[in-house]
Amino acid sequence: MRTRRGRSRAGARRIGAAAAALGVLLGAPGLAHAVGPPSPSYRFPDGVGDVVGGQRDKDGPLLEADTAYRSAIKPDGKLYFRLVLDGKSDAYVSAVALPGPTGAKLAYSDSIKVSLQDATGEDCDSQRRSIGSAQYPHPFAASAYRAVRAGLSSCQEAGTYYMVIERQTEPASTRSDWGLDLRYTTEPARSAPGPGTAPSTRPSASPVPPTGVPRQVHGGTGFHDAAELSEGQWKDSIRPGETLFFRVPLEWGQQISAGGGLGGMAAPKDGYVGTALSLQLYNPVWGPVTGTSAPYDGRRKETVLDPLAPVSYENRFSPSDDTSAMRVDGPYYLAVSLSPEVGQTFGATPYDLTLWLTVRGQTKAGPSYAGRAPDFGSSRPSAGDGSMKLLAAIGIGTGTVLVSGLGVWTLVARRRAAAGHPGPVHHGGGAPGAR
């Protein structure tokens, strides 16, 4: 739910050494586990910076743009982080909440709120997102922004700004720390004025799901190692309590449609899980776009995201938040979660997952920026690549990983051959549609 306002030490050493060796051999960036018990499967980039949020605005550590940071927040905590922004660029801040530990009890309204504030403490924008009906530990993100616009009076000056993270915890919920994945990025202004209103029309016909044999893929554990998908059908497996991440590159003018489903059991058992499969779509700055869910009763079930606008710079002027979120080109992220209740009801084994994607629309020229065009992560390596899947397997496995030079290259070759290759309510500090 979203609302918007404004293992042993020796084993660990062996796994770490194997991952590092593979990182060198494969030429791929290493990945690191999150600190502490929350969401141990979520993986950060190697070298991620650990930061401790300030209890007051002046105590907040300074963050750099386009840099990954790892932190944590206590129940009902409030943390400050400092940013230095110019007076010309839009800025986007986001926080991925990593609730835990596995099996933690959570309530519908357990949530985080992300705010971007100016030096006086005034909100430029904020968003609160809750666990909602998927009341089990899984990663979810919230975001906020600073828009530089003619006609806006607040948050327009260059200087110090603050990313503020607040956590709300219900009394009956497990009172453990939550991990945080933090980032912010900026977007230059246009070099020349352009349209100041959202497109008035968009394709609205429901797309026909693509046909053909589904291709094999395995999703990543988070935004940093998300597996890349293109148009077509894809198959994976997902365990109860697991969240898989996928990335879909979109260019200006392209429109995405996506859906997913769980396979049926050979001999269905009696039972029913209301919010079994959850699909959430995020944009390149990790802002929530839209989401959907499906129940499960042991028989095949599917769900489809609502129709979305094509990617357009002018979407940011729309009063509709799911349209406004389709404002930048780059990788869009699909997070797929399976409730642990499915395992309790039908068995704790992997379940067949099918995803389908349709990308329509002619690509268009993007805006002419006054500065360097932003890179919202489209050049990141894909977890769909065999090397990334191998690294993910190391992180997930609990046994001892033994590798040798020849063994690594053989396994990599096999992996590569096998690879086969709900909406927010806006209350921002600016004018309506400034998102």
Side-chain angles (χ1 to χ4, degrees):
M1 178 181 178
R2 309 173 268 201
T3 59
R4 176 175 292 283
R5 182 185 181 277
R7 317 182 158 143
S8 73
R9 291 185 178 178
R13 285 194 296 266
R14 286 193 292 267
I15 292 171
L22 285 171
V24 172
L25 288 170
L26 302 176
L31 296 171
H33 282 296
V35 168
S39 297
S41 63
Y42 188 93
R43 301 174 69 79
F44 288 81
D46 192 25
V48 63
D50 292 319
V51 292
V52 177
Q55 300 301 303
R56 301 178 303 171
D57 54 5
K58 306 301 183 185
D59 299 329
L62 180 66
L63 304 185
E64 299 292 336
D66 302 314
T67 303
Y69 291 96
R70 177 173 49 196
S71 190
I73 189 168
K74 295 183 178 299
D76 300 317
K78 184 175 184 178
L79 303 175
Y80 289 86
F81 304 89
R82 289 184 295 123
L83 321 174
V84 176
L85 303 180
D86 63 25
K88 301 177 181 180
S89 304
D90 287 4
Y92 303 91
V93 297
S94 64
V96 184
L98 307 173
T102 300
K105 181 180 179 181
L106 301 174
Y108 187 94
S109 57
D110 287 341
S111 62
I112 60 166
K113 178 183 177 182
V114 176
S115 305
L116 183 54
Q117 298 178 352
D118 66 12
T120 68
E122 182 174 355
D123 274 8
C124 310
D125 181 53
S126 64
Q127 180 183 54
R128 182 180 294 278
R129 289 196 79 217
S130 75
I131 284 289
S133 57
Q135 298 175 46
Y136 54 88
H138 66 279
F140 67 99
S143 66
Y145 69 97
R146 188 281 295 266
V148 177
R149 300 282 186 275
L152 297 182
S153 59
S154 62
C155 300
Q156 302 298 289
E157 302 298 324
T160 299
Y161 286 75
Y162 299 96
M163 179 182 185
V164 186
I165 315 295
E166 300 174 69
R167 175 182 166 190
Q168 177 178 307
T169 310
E170 290 299 303
S173 297
T174 302
R175 302 187 67 79
S176 59
D177 291 2
W178 285 8
L180 294 173
D181 184 0
L182 308 176
R183 66 169 283 182
Y184 88 92
T185 192
T186 60
E187 179 186 25
R190 278 178 162 170
S191 59
T197 59
S200 58
T201 61
R202 74 185 195 196
S204 58
S206 298
V208 177
T211 59
V213 178
R215 289 170 283 177
Q216 184 71 52
V217 70
H218 188 66
T221 67
F223 288 96
H224 301 286
D225 64 348
E228 185 167 309
L229 302 181
S230 57
E231 182 170 307
Q233 294 196 58
W234 299 85
K235 62 180 180 179
D236 198 349
S237 63
I238 186 169
R239 292 182 177 274
E242 187 176 28
T243 298
L244 301 177
F245 281 75
F246 306 88
R247 61 200 293 269
V248 184
L250 293 180
E251 302 289 342
W252 299 107
Q254 291 187 318
Q255 181 183 32
I256 184 176
S257 300
L262 284 179
M265 304 177 66
K269 303 177 183 179
D270 291 335
Y272 181 85
V273 178
T275 306
L277 184 69
S278 170
L279 276 67
Q280 299 292 324
L281 185 68
Y282 295 91
N283 65 19
V285 294
W286 299 4
V289 179
T290 189
T292 185
S293 63
Y296 192 64
D297 60 2
R299 297 166 180 82
R300 178 169 180 81
K301 290 290 184 295
E302 295 182 343
T303 186
V304 180
L305 295 176
D306 289 337
L308 294 164
V311 178
S312 171
Y313 185 94
E314 287 74 28
N315 284 339
R316 65 194 63 204
F317 303 113
S318 172
S320 170
D321 280 320
D322 61 352
T323 297
S324 178
M326 304 297 293
R327 65 199 291 152
V328 293
D329 70 335
Y332 282 70
Y333 296 87
L334 190 64
V336 184
S337 302
L338 182 61
S339 171
E341 191 178 346
V342 172
Q344 297 162 11
T345 304
F346 300 102
T349 60
Y351 288 75
D352 290 338
L353 172 67
T354 300
L355 299 172
W356 63 264
L357 295 168
T358 298
V359 179
R360 298 184 295 173
Q362 295 294 319
T363 59
K364 300 179 180 179
S368 177
Y369 287 110
R372 179 181 178 182
D375 177 6
F376 295 122
S378 58
S379 62
R380 287 195 187 109
S382 163
D385 178 82
S387 61
M388 295 297 286
K389 288 193 289 184
L390 182 54
L391 286 174
I394 291 173
I396 295 170
T398 57
T400 301
V401 180
L402 299 176
V403 295
S404 64
L406 180 58
V408 169
W409 289 115
T410 302
L411 183 54
V412 169
R414 290 174 178 172
R415 288 279 184 169
R416 286 176 173 164
H421 310 102
V425 179
H426 174 68
H427 298 283
R435 174 96 171 124

